[in-house]
Amino acid sequence: MLAANASVLFTAIAKRNPLAELERTSHFSSMNDFGMIVGQQLAAARRERGWTQARLAQIVGVARESIYRIERGRMPSGATAARLCDALGLDKAELSLDWHETDATLLYPSTTFLRDRRKARELSLWEVARAAGVSASTMSRFERGHGGSRMLVRRTLAGQPTELVNQGFAEILGFHSNHELTTFWQRGYL
């Protein structure tokens, strides 16, 4: 699948960058290699507009450090990818950023329910993290389905998450108990 998507990417990029055809023959050893190519293309589009990383970050609504990381190979989330493409005037499909692997909604729907609830209540990531007693980065990783602190999630011995255990997290999202929070996390409704 990686090779097929990479081929589509390089075909699209070749229209803008003739050297991309030369790179097409290289084989990716990991998703990081692919992320590097995407990052380079986003950086090139940003530079074409004469924007700094800070300016693009401001337009997209992320930290400058996020732009730095994305340009160096970290794949953006689906929402960030869409905002980057909109800001830079790129077609999302042109950069193959419509991959399911970049979209937390498809991979981790339960955490997406909580992120959407947070946004509907107009709460920042930092506000929710503070109420839960964890860092904003920990909360961000949890919302993207990339792990969860013991402060947030109880797990089985095999490491599978079973329930959410943070009362502050439950309260700030408007739930009366951890049980309600866990039910919503698992089903998307109470």
Side-chain angles (χ1 to χ4, degrees):
M1 179 166 141
L2 184 58
N5 282 327
S7 177
V8 170
L9 170 70
F10 284 120
T11 301
I13 291 173
K15 295 174 190 171
R16 297 179 58 189
N17 180 1
L19 296 176
E21 184 59 29
L22 295 175
E23 295 173 5
R24 185 182 68 77
T25 59
S26 68
H27 296 284
F28 297 117
S29 62
S30 70
M31 186 70 170
N32 289 340
D33 293 340
F34 184 71
M36 288 297 295
I37 300 298
V38 170
Q40 290 169 1
Q41 294 306 311
L42 292 171
R46 174 183 59 78
R47 286 187 204 104
E48 283 177 15
R49 284 159 184 69
W51 292 348
T52 63
Q53 289 177 342
R55 176 70 178 131
L56 179 58
Q58 180 183 25
I59 292 167
V60 174
V62 298
R64 189 211 48 87
E65 291 81 6
S66 296
I67 300 298
Y68 173 85
R69 288 182 193 112
I70 291 166
E71 287 184 358
R72 276 152 189 78
R74 184 177 203 173
M75 290 300 289
S77 69
T80 301
R83 291 193 313 267
L84 281 165
C85 287
D86 288 345
L88 295 169
L90 301 173
D91 180 10
K92 191 175 174 189
E94 179 179 341
L95 293 175
S96 293
L97 291 175
D98 56 351
W99 278 20
H100 299 305
E101 289 87 349
T102 65
D103 193 349
T105 305
L106 295 173
L107 284 176
Y108 308 102
S110 59
T111 56
T112 304
F113 297 145
L114 296 174
R115 183 190 62 211
D116 292 345
R117 174 87 172 214
R118 172 181 61 78
K119 289 181 176 184
R121 295 177 66 86
E122 298 182 356
L123 295 167
S124 73
L125 188 63
W126 292 272
E127 290 171 311
V128 174
R130 190 175 331 117
V134 297
S135 70
S137 2
T138 296
M139 186 60 69
S140 176
R141 282 190 303 276
F142 173 75
E143 283 190 351
R144 289 179 285 130
H146 297 301
S149 164
R150 286 177 278 175
M151 300 267 311
L152 298 172
V153 181
R154 181 171 292 133
R155 297 180 179 278
T156 65
L157 292 175
Q160 296 299 316
T162 57
E163 66 180 316
L164 299 181
V165 296
N166 191 295
Q167 188 61 35
F169 189 27
E171 289 172 3
I172 197 162
L173 291 178
F175 297 105
H176 298 292
S177 67
N178 288 338
H179 177 71
E180 282 186 5
L181 176 65
T182 299
T183 300
F184 186 81
W185 172 58
Q186 293 170 340
R187 300 181 188 161
Y189 60 89
L190 290 178

